[in-house]
Amino acid sequence: MAETISLEMGAPISLSRAAQAPAGLAHFLEIVKVLGHFKFEETRGSTSMRKEAIGVCGLITPWNWPMNQIACKVAPALAAGCTMVLKPSEIAPLSAYLFARILEEAGVPNGVFNLVNGDGPTVGSAMASHPDVAMVSFTGSTRAGVAVAIAAAPTVKRVTQELGGKSANIILDDAILETAVKEGLQGCFRNAGQSCNAPTRMLVPRAKMAEAAAIAKRAAEATRVGDPFITDTSIGPLATKAQFEKVQRLISKGMEEGAELITGGPGRPDNIHKGYFVKPTVFANVRNDMTIAREEIFGPVLTIIPYEDENDAVRIANDTPYGLSGYITSGDIERARRVANRIRSGNVHINGARLDFGGCFGGYKQSGNGREWGEAGLDEFLELKAVFGYTASGK
């Protein structure tokens, strides 16, 4: 599975083995835990509250974390008792073929899981608008998510969406700057920056901007770009020509708008003459109204934005149409918690905390609606029914 993912979308093989492929299994293991305690039926007074399978589910998944996104939809759909049609990204279909073989060998009954290939405007639209599909679970760009919702609206089906992001990484003034900047840059560049929850906007105290930029420059220039099947590669190629051209355009836009280019920039890295490879790029002294601070770049491009004080940092972090993730680094855990509670996003990471598959994943605002992972993810595939007078005595 890891080799297949690296082959189809370019993730370094070390990342595919450590995270891309294992994420699929992790979601299945988590949903088994949830089923051990989940209550599909409860009696409240004389009323029975029942959670029932919503029905046929259309699942539309992206190319950047293919197994993570497939499994976090298929596992809860199976657990809920739904049948489903999966349309994986046409850019990364190979891992989905392998996944379908796994389900067949596991004995999933015919007709429960169905795989259909094709592009979004054709197959995705047909799934979203089909009257026999009760729910669509979509992960991808905000633009495509809007199209799915419009197609689904005439049949009034449930639509859950996990969309784009422009996550802020607030490094507070009491943090260890060297560690926080290095870890923030690595998080931004992971998977070549092709993660919707990547910490792409690094917020640092204005007085520490020069120091933070120097640390980021050293870390970016030490990042190895190259063949994803070489084990010490940190950044492989971007997945498509269109994505490469978009990233190049936005890097140039940042320079045009006056952001300070610290390292990287347009074009391929030195000694790489073909392929969709991007220079690890860092901009400093970025204003939050610049294009590179507003649009999701989806490449190894970090923007460093100065702030005046804690309130200003929170204001900048929330000044975005997105709200998927946020990141806080502080030497004071109570302070970090207070700031985290003020961030308008579906996830917040304190002091480099990793994702928890038992938690939930999803966004505010234009980052989507609904939640995936764990118990919250299972609930999305269920309808809630109240049966009144279920018990005559209310017991």
Side-chain angles (χ1 to χ4, degrees):
M1 180 63 78
E3 290 172 356
T4 299
I5 291 171
S6 291
L7 179 67
E8 67 185 355
M9 55 74 62
I13 189 64
S14 57
L15 179 66
S16 291
R17 288 174 176 153
Q20 287 271 10
L25 181 58
H27 285 298
F28 276 90
L29 293 173
E30 185 60 40
I31 207 68
V32 169
K33 292 180 185 177
V34 171
L35 285 176
H37 61 78
F38 192 83
K39 293 182 179 179
F40 285 91
E41 186 170 2
E42 293 183 85
T43 302
R44 299 181 185 175
S46 62
T47 302
S48 172
M49 304 292 286
R50 287 177 50 84
K51 293 182 177 180
E52 302 176 343
I54 195 169
V56 180
C57 301
L59 314 177
I60 303 174
T61 58
W63 48 263
N64 59 323
W65 285 87
M67 206 39 49
N68 177 73
Q69 292 301 331
I70 288 173
C72 80
K73 298 181 190 301
V74 172
L78 284 171
C82 298
T83 58
M84 68 209 74
V85 181
L86 168 69
K87 188 207 85 64
S89 170
E90 65 275 21
I91 294 167
L94 303 180
S95 56
Y97 293 156
L98 190 55
F99 179 81
R101 287 175 54 193
I102 291 169
L103 292 193
E104 183 179 29
E105 291 182 17
V108 175
N110 290 338
V112 172
F113 171 85
N114 306 274
L115 177 66
V116 178
N117 289 106
D119 64 18
T122 307
V123 177
S125 179
M127 288 170 57
S129 62
H130 199 289
D132 290 340
V133 173
M135 170 193 175
V136 177
S137 178
F138 172 85
T139 300
S141 69
T142 298
R143 175 194 54 78
V146 170
V148 166
I150 291 172
T155 50
V156 198
K157 57 171 57 71
R158 182 181 299 173
V159 178
T160 62
Q161 301 168 317
E162 197 269 284
L163 308 176
K166 195 68 182 175
S167 302
N169 178 12
I170 300 176
I171 298 176
L172 293 172
D173 55 14
D174 60 358
I176 300 173
L177 192 66
E178 179 92 17
T179 302
V181 170
K182 284 182 178 179
E183 291 181 352
L185 179 135
Q186 290 167 0
C188 177
F189 287 0
R190 191 180 191 214
N191 206 40
Q194 299 171 127
S195 299
C196 50
N197 63 336
T200 54
R201 290 185 299 148
M202 180 180 288
L203 277 56
V204 302
R206 186 175 297 277
K208 297 186 177 183
M209 170 58 70
E211 185 182 357
I215 295 167
K217 175 181 171 66
R218 291 194 298 270
E221 292 176 353
T223 302
R224 184 182 177 92
V225 182
D227 185 343
F229 285 95
I230 295 176
T231 55
D232 63 350
T233 293
S234 298
I235 298 178
L238 300 188
T240 66
K241 180 181 180 181
Q243 190 60 35
F244 174 81
E245 291 176 345
K246 174 189 175 184
V247 173
Q248 295 297 316
R249 174 179 61 80
L250 287 169
I251 290 173
S252 297
K253 189 71 171 177
M255 297 170 67
E256 291 169 12
E257 293 184 354
E260 182 183 352
L261 181 65
I262 298 299
T263 189
R268 297 181 179 89
D270 295 341
N271 303 319
I272 298 180
H273 306 295
K274 64 179 181 178
Y276 305 135
F277 295 92
V278 173
K279 295 177 185 177
T281 297
V282 177
F283 286 100
N285 288 302
V286 177
R287 298 192 318 273
N288 202 49
D289 62 353
M290 290 180 175
T291 302
I292 56 173
R294 308 303 294 179
E295 293 189 20
E296 185 176 39
I297 299 174
F298 235 55
V301 180
L302 176 67
T303 63
I304 309 180
I305 303 171
Y307 67 83
E308 302 300 335
D309 55 24
E310 185 178 301
N311 287 333
D312 190 41
V314 172
R315 179 192 63 79
I316 294 169
N318 289 335
D319 180 17
T320 173
Y322 298 107
L324 186 56
S325 286
Y327 300 78
I328 313 291
T329 305
S330 173
D332 180 345
I333 186 65
E334 291 298 329
R335 184 185 184 193
R337 288 169 179 162
R338 289 195 301 270
V339 174
N341 289 342
R342 299 174 65 191
I343 302 302
R344 298 287 295 168
S345 64
N347 309 143
V348 182
H349 302 248
I350 290 178
N351 290 339
R354 295 188 175 186
L355 292 164
D356 176 4
F357 291 118
C360 66
F361 193 84
Y364 290 17
K365 299 184 282 187
Q366 291 186 28
S367 288
N369 55 65
R371 293 295 180 267
E372 296 183 317
W373 304 9
E375 187 169 332
L378 178 57
D379 267 325
E380 297 290 355
F381 291 89
L382 298 165
E383 287 280 22
L384 182 60
K385 175 191 289 182
V387 182
F388 304 118
Y390 190 80
T391 64
S393 63
K395 296 182 180 179

